[in-house]
Amino acid sequence: MKFNTKTIHGGQEHDKAYGAVMPPIYQTSTYAQSTPGGHKGYEYSRTHNPTRNALENALASIEGGNYGLAFGSGLAAIDAVMKLLKPGDEVISTNDLYGGSFRLFTKIFQNFGIKFHFVEMDSVSAVAALVNENTKLIWVETPTNPMMNIIDIVAVSELAKKYNLMLAVDNTFATPYLQQPLALGADIVMHSATKYLGGHSDVVMGALVVKDSEIADQLYFIQNASGAVCGPMDSFLVLRGIKTLHVRMQRHCENGRVIAEYLASHPSVEKVYWPGFESHPNHEVAKKQMTDFGGMISFVPKGAKYEDAIRIVERLKVFTLAESLGGVESLAGHPASMTHASIPKEIREQSGVVDALIRLSVGIEDSDDLIEDLRQAIEG
Ligand SMILES: *Cc1c(COP(=O)(O)O)cnc(C)c1O
C-alpha cells in the first residue's frame, strides 16, 4: 500500500458493531466481563482502548513499523523510551535538541543515574568517539529546531548497528510523509503528535513506532505500568488528523518553498534556514533521506536586534505568534524570548539561535497572503 493510501486506510477496519466508517470514540474506562477474565480483549483503558488501538495501528502503518504506541504527550513518549534504560547506561544525543527533551534528560533521568552526551551529529566520527561499553541509545532529532540542521540517519544507524546500540529518531518535524526513520535503520520512531500528525493545534499527544517485537513488548509494558496514555477523544482527533497528513504536508512543503525563497530574496533579510536550499550545509543529506523539505523555516532580519525581531512578530496578522508548530495555521515564534529563553545567551548563540532569529511554521493558507503578511511585518 502506498503512503497516501496508508494515511487513510492503514491498520484500519470498519467498526464491527454497526459498520461505522470511523472508529467510535470508546469513552470508557472499563469493559464488562461475563466471568472473571471473560472479556472481548479489553479490560481497562490504561492497558487497551479500541479508539487508541485504532490510532496505534494507523501510526504503525504510516511509519512502516509493526507496533504503534500512543501517549499523553510527546514528552510522555520520550519518557517511556528512557525507561528502557538502567542506571549506569549512557545516551548520545544531538546538541541542538528540542528543549523539552533536553530538560527531561538532564533534569529528570540524569538523577536516576543515566548519563547523557550532547554532540553535533553532522559528524558521525564525533558520535563514535563518545561510544563506550555503557552506551545503550543514540537519540536523533532531524531536522533540528530551530536551526534546521539535518542529521544523516543512515550513517548514524550504521554506527549504532556496529556497536549494538539502539537508535531512536524524533520524527516530529519531518513526519513519515517526508522521512521514514525505520526504513533508514532506526529502532524507534518518536512523535509529538501534537504537531503535524494531529495537524490542527487542538490536541497534545505523543507516539512511538517500532518494528521489533521485543522492544515493543517492553514499551507496551512501560506504557501500561507508567500509565501516561492518551484518552479516546484525543486518539480520535489524531486519527482524523492523520487521514489528511499527506495533503496537508504537500501544501506545507509548497508554501514552505515559496516563503523560504521570498525571504531569501528580500533585501532586509540576512539569513534563511531551510534545508531545501542548495546552499544549506546538509542539503545533500536532506535530499537523500527526505522526499521534500517541509514548512519549517527560520530567518534573521538584516541588522536586527532582539527588540526588532519582537516588533516583527508582533506586527504579523495572518501568522499567529505562538509556541508549537505543524498545524494548518501559520505560526511565528521568537526562540530567544520563547522556546529557548531558558538557555544562556552565549550557549544559545553558539548554535545560531541569535536574538533576532524568527521561526516560522508555515501553514496551508494561500501563500500570497502569507507573503504579504511577512512583507508588511518586515518592512514595518
Ligand atoms: C513539541 C515537541 C516535542 C514534545 O512534544 P509534546 O507533545 O509537546 O510533549 C518533542 N520533540 C519535538 C521535536 C517537538 O517539536
Side-chain angles (χ1 to χ4, degrees):
M1 202 185 274
K2 296 268 179 67
F3 183 79
N4 294 352
T5 311
K6 278 186 184 174
T7 55
I8 295 164
H9 298 291
Q12 302 306 299
E13 51 186 30
H14 300 317
D15 165 54
K16 290 199 188 75
Y18 299 109
V21 168
M22 275 301 280
I25 301 165
Y26 282 97
Q27 194 74 45
T28 185
S29 61
T30 191
Y31 308 83
Q33 306 191 9
S34 54
T35 178
H39 56 75
K40 299 177 175 172
Y42 292 90
E43 290 171 279
Y44 186 64
S45 281
R46 172 164 28 75
T47 320
H48 294 294
N49 174 280
T51 319
R52 194 178 89 217
N53 282 13
L55 168 67
E56 290 176 330
N57 292 339
L59 290 165
S61 170
I62 59 173
E63 279 289 2
N66 297 317
Y67 308 93
L69 301 97
F71 294 86
S73 71
L75 283 170
I78 303 174
D79 179 271
V81 175
M82 292 302 137
K83 287 173 177 162
L84 294 169
L85 305 175
K86 294 190 173 57
D89 287 350
E90 297 190 12
V91 179
I92 304 171
S93 185
T94 62
N95 62 343
D96 57 346
L97 195 63
Y98 174 73
S101 310
F102 183 78
R103 181 177 56 196
L104 178 66
F105 293 172
T106 57
K107 297 277 200 267
I108 307 276
F109 282 99
Q110 208 151 272
N111 295 341
F112 290 91
I114 295 164
K115 191 169 172 187
F116 295 88
H117 303 272
F118 300 96
V119 64
E120 210 167 293
M121 281 204 181
D122 293 20
S123 156
V124 177
S125 58
V127 183
L130 290 168
V131 176
N132 64 42
E133 72 274 11
N134 296 322
T135 312
K136 292 283 147 52
L137 172 70
I138 302 180
W139 186 272
V140 166
E141 188 184 312
T142 180
T144 64
N145 173 30
M147 298 314 298
M148 310 300 151
N149 291 316
I150 305 290
I151 294 160
D152 188 335
I153 298 173
V154 169
V156 177
S157 88
E158 280 164 3
L159 183 82
K161 287 195 172 63
K162 181 170 161 197
Y163 293 105
N164 203 21
L165 313 174
M166 246 183 325
L167 171 61
V169 175
D170 182 337
N171 206 27
T172 301
F173 268 41
T175 83
Y177 176 84
L178 295 178
Q179 167 175 290
Q180 303 240 326
L182 295 177
L184 299 172
D187 301 293
I188 302 173
V189 176
M190 175 261 152
H191 277 278
S192 169
T194 313
K195 316 293 168 56
Y196 286 106
L197 296 189
H200 295 74
S201 306
D202 51 10
V203 61
V204 171
M205 190 188 284
L208 299 175
V209 180
V210 302
K211 270 186 169 167
D212 181 75
S213 66
E214 247 173 72
I215 299 177
D217 286 346
Q218 291 177 53
L219 288 171
Y220 282 126
F221 183 84
I222 293 165
Q223 183 192 37
N224 180 52
S226 285
V229 295
C230 51
M233 179 70 199
D234 287 354
S235 300
F236 177 88
L237 284 173
V238 172
L239 187 58
R240 175 184 162 132
I242 287 172
K243 286 175 191 285
T244 56
L245 178 66
H246 54 300
V247 279
R248 286 186 288 112
M249 286 308 293
Q250 186 181 349
R251 181 64 70 85
H252 282 297
C253 292
E254 286 166 12
N255 282 358
R257 174 178 294 279
V258 171
I259 301 283
E261 284 170 356
Y262 170 73
L263 289 170
S265 72
H266 197 290
S268 302
V269 173
E270 173 141 7
K271 268 195 127 135
V272 184
Y273 299 92
W274 180 66
F277 289 131
E278 273 176 35
S279 57
H280 184 287
N282 316 117
H283 177 69
E284 287 307 314
V285 179
K287 234 167 62 178
K288 188 180 69 171
Q289 71 188 17
M290 298 167 75
T291 55
D292 206 335
F293 305 106
M296 296 301 301
I297 301 167
S298 293
F299 74 100
V300 181
K302 199 166 273 174
K305 299 199 179 61
Y306 190 91
E307 297 73 24
D308 303 314
I310 288 189
R311 233 165 281 134
I312 290 174
V313 293
E314 282 175 351
R315 276 198 289 263
L316 289 165
K317 294 187 179 81
V318 182
F319 281 84
T320 302
L321 177 60
E323 310 257 354
S324 200
L325 60 110
V328 290
E329 65 288 297
S330 292
L331 301 181
H334 178 237
S337 66
M338 296 167 73
T339 46
H340 292 62
S342 60
I343 305 172
K345 186 174 153 90
E346 313 80 60
I347 297 179
R348 204 172 9 89
E349 296 203 333
Q350 271 168 26
S351 58
V353 186
V354 295
D355 279 352
L357 188 82
I358 294 169
R359 190 194 76 178
L360 304 177
S361 169
V362 178
I364 64 171
E365 301 95 336
D366 192 305
S367 58
D368 288 350
D369 292 325
L370 299 178
I371 284 177
E372 173 50 26
D373 196 31
L374 286 166
R375 189 200 60 74
Q376 63 81 22
I378 292 168
E379 295 173 9

